């Protein structure tokens, strides 16, 4: 493919992503499947352009004049590549599959680009900027720029089967720049972009490691599930944290994994077999009678890894910043309330609830935990955990432990 054709392909993918039809990684995979002629270098260049635009969408939109794939890609040639307009015009007509000739309006827009207001420069939607400013104060610029960097790839060593020092040695022998995570005792950090190589390694097939950001590993450690306890993972998804909890519990006790999305929960089956954990039961719907019966006299710990904006994971999913809107956020907040209230009915009198979100927005984190305590007499927040790329070099994450006082 010519450089111009790669730009046009990136514009096509961006349109899919920004219309909310697909996450960036899935849109790129789908594009690859329907354009088999594209080589690995073409795919890499297209992905790089798509992510560069998504990370600096505010600036690219200001330079290109609109939030369409074409305008954003053209804008990115000014913002990211610092190209002059004649060079952009040449690229735009670089072969039959290139974006096509620039209009007069586009030429003058690209030529006249000047740095924009704060929300544009910080590459964050203006409605979110107000809330983030309230949350971070004068740390906002540092937090947002760390959230805009590329994320490393973290692994969790499955201590039911393997030891971190052996895994580190093995990964280094494979030529990977693996390092022990600074905070999570089972964590291994690999450089950004190691994903493709790592997934084909034997340590995955053997169940020795799982991909899991250090923040998620720390959230599970914060929840502190103990051997022999009954733990309910109320929003288990494909069970990344359920597996981590079973390992911390040394495979003793019970982990009841639930999710409203049963097909996601089913994906836990193969991961559970690979991990060697025997204490995880797939308990189905979090609101179902089956879970109530399995919980019996109540769980020691109900872990609520609630659906949320994912604002803590913007390093990995920069598109989530732009597809989030007020209505969607309100939907997450309502689901969090529903799950936390359900948790209150499942926990034993001496038990604890952990509310966890991969979010940096106060309304999903500390404010949601406080609202739970206001709704349920006798409950209070006993401890909290707050992580962010700038402060802990992890994804953004919040967790609160709730107990009856
Ligand atoms: C943050 S994810 C869970 C990730 C998982 N615990 C892990 O470690 O991989 C949140 C989960 O909440 C579920 N969920 C979405 N909407 C929900 C709702 N309205 N009520 C309950 N659960 C919901 C989703 O299916 C999703 O799997």
């Amino acid at each position: 493919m010519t450089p111009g054709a790669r730009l046009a392909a990136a514009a096509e993918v961006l349109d899919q992503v920004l219309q909310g039809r697909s996450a960036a990684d899935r849109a790129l995979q789908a594009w690859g499947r329907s354009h088999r002629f594209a080589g690995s270098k073409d795919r890499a260049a297209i992905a790089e352009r798509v992510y560069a635009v998504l990370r600096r969408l505010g600036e690219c939109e200001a330079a290109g004049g609109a939030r369409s794939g074409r305008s954003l890609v053209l804008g990115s040639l000014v913002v990211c590549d610092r190209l002059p307009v004649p060079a952009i015009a040449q690229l735009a007509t670089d072969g039959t599959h290139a974006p096509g000739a620039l209009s007069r309006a586009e030429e003058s827009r690209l030529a006249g680009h000047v740095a924009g207001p704060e929300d544009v420069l910080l590459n964050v939607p203006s409605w979110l900027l107000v809330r983030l400013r309230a949350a971070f104060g004068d740390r906002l610029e540092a937090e947002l720029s760390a959230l805009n960097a590329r994320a490393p790839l973290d692994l969790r060593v499955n201590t039911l089967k393997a030891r971190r020092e052996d895994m580190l040695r093995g990964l280094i022998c494979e030529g990977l720049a693996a390092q022990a995570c600074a905070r999570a005792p089972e964590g291994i950090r690999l450089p950004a972009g190691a994903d493709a190589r790592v997934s084909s390694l034997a340590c995955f097939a053997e169940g020795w490691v799982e991909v899991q950001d250090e923040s998620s590993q720390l959230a599970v450690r914060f929840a502190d599930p103990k051997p022999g306890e009954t733990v309910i993972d109320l929003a288990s998804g494909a069970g990344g944290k359920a597996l981590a909890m079973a390992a911390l519990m040394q495979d003793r006790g019970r982990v009841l994994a639930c999710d409203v999305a049963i097909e996601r929960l089913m994906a836990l089956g193969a991961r559970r077999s690979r991990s060697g954990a025997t204490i995880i039961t797939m308990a189905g719907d979090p609101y179902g009678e089956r879970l109530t019966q399995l919980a019996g006299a109540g769980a020691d710990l109900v872990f609520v890894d609630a659906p949320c904006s994912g604002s803590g994971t913007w390093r990995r999913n920069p598109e989530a910043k732009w597809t989030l809107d007020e209505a969607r956020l309100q939907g997450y907040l309502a689901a969090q309330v529903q799950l936390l209230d359900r948790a209150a009915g499942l926990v034993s009198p001496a038990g604890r609830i952990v509310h966890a979100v991969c979010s940096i927005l106060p309304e999903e984190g500390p404010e949601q935990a406080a609202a739970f305590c206001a709704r349920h007499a006798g409950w209070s927040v006993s401890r909290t955990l707050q992580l962010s790329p700038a402060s802990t070099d992890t994804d953004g994450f919040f967790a609160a432990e709730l107990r009856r006082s």
Side-chain angles (χ1 to χ4, degrees), residues 233 235-241 259-261 264 286-287 305-307 335 338-339:
D233 186 10
S236 206
K241 296 192 187 68
D259 204 280
V260 285
R264 255 191 237 185
Y287 304 103
D305 190 20
Q338 213 183 355
L339 278 170

Side-chain angles (χ1 to χ4, degrees), residues 51 149 178 186 194 238 293 326 333 367 376 385:
Y51 280 106
E186 297 88 19
Q293 279 169 10
E326 188 65 59
L333 293 171
E367 290 173 16
H376 296 268
L385 171 77

Side-chain angles (χ1 to χ4, degrees), residues 25-314:
D25 54 350
R26 272 192 241 129
L28 284 161
Q29 280 162 13
W31 187 92
R33 274 195 302 277
S34 55
H35 297 82
R36 298 233 174 246
F37 61 84
S40 60
K41 283 197 181 132
D42 296 322
R43 285 159 204 249
I46 295 162
E48 204 173 306
R49 177 68 54 183
V50 166
Y51 280 106
V53 169
L54 291 172
R55 285 186 207 290
R56 300 182 71 178
L57 190 130
E59 292 171 279
C60 293
E61 182 178 351
R67 194 176 291 186
S68 70
R70 174 187 169 93
S71 300
L72 290 168
V73 158
L74 294 175
S76 75
L77 295 169
V78 175
V79 171
C80 307
D81 305 73
R82 301 186 175 282
L83 290 185
V85 172
I88 297 175
Q90 205 176 345
L91 272 173
T93 51
D94 176 25
T96 44
H97 298 292
L102 302 185
S103 67
R104 279 265 163 79
E106 282 174 332
E107 274 184 15
S108 55
R109 172 115 215 159
L110 292 166
H113 175 61
V114 286
E118 196 183 21
D119 58 319
V120 170
L121 284 176
L122 291 173
N123 290 290
V124 69
S126 50
W127 71 278
L128 275 174
L129 185 63
V130 180
R131 292 162 196 226
L132 292 170
R133 175 72 70 200
F136 291 114
D138 53 14
R139 285 187 10 246
L140 182 70
E141 280 76 9
E143 291 289 352
L144 285 179
S145 94
L147 263 170
N148 224 5
R150 286 187 79 190
L153 177 71
D154 293 340
L155 307 178
R156 178 183 62 80
V157 176
N158 173 15
T159 48
L160 296 177
K161 283 189 157 182
R163 296 186 320 165
R164 178 161 79 170
E165 54 268 38
D166 299 331
M167 293 299 103
L168 269 171
R169 217 173 298 128
L171 290 164
I172 290 166
C173 283
E174 294 283 348
L176 288 157
Q179 286 185 320
C181 281
R183 291 178 170 78
E186 297 88 19
I188 291 183
R189 178 153 292 187
L190 296 165
D195 314 40
R197 283 223 32 220
V198 164
S199 53
S200 61
L201 296 177
C203 51
F204 279 96
E206 299 291 344
W208 297 337
V209 296
E210 285 277 349
V211 171
Q212 188 170 54
D213 186 72
E214 191 178 13
S215 61
S216 296
Q217 299 180 39
L218 293 170
V220 170
R221 283 217 153 242
F222 172 84
D224 194 22
K226 296 184 185 69
E229 285 192 332
T230 289
V231 173
I232 299 176
D233 186 10
L234 209 51
S236 206
K241 296 192 187 68
L243 292 167
M245 288 198 268
L248 275 188
M249 294 162 75
Q250 297 162 22
D251 204 31
R252 301 206 315 267
R254 287 195 299 166
V255 176
L256 305 174
C258 326
D259 204 280
V260 285
I262 298 300
E263 69 289 351
R264 255 191 237 185
L265 189 60
M266 288 303 120
L268 171 56
R271 295 175 85 188
R272 179 181 58 180
S273 318
R274 226 174 28 230
S275 75
T278 62
I279 61 166
I280 302 175
T281 301
M282 264 105 94
D285 182 354
Y287 304 103
E289 190 48 34
R290 176 156 182 251
L291 176 63
T292 310
Q293 279 169 10
L294 284 169
D300 300 294
L301 165 64
V302 182
F303 188 76
V304 182
D305 190 20
C308 70
S309 62
S311 47
T313 67
W314 282 344

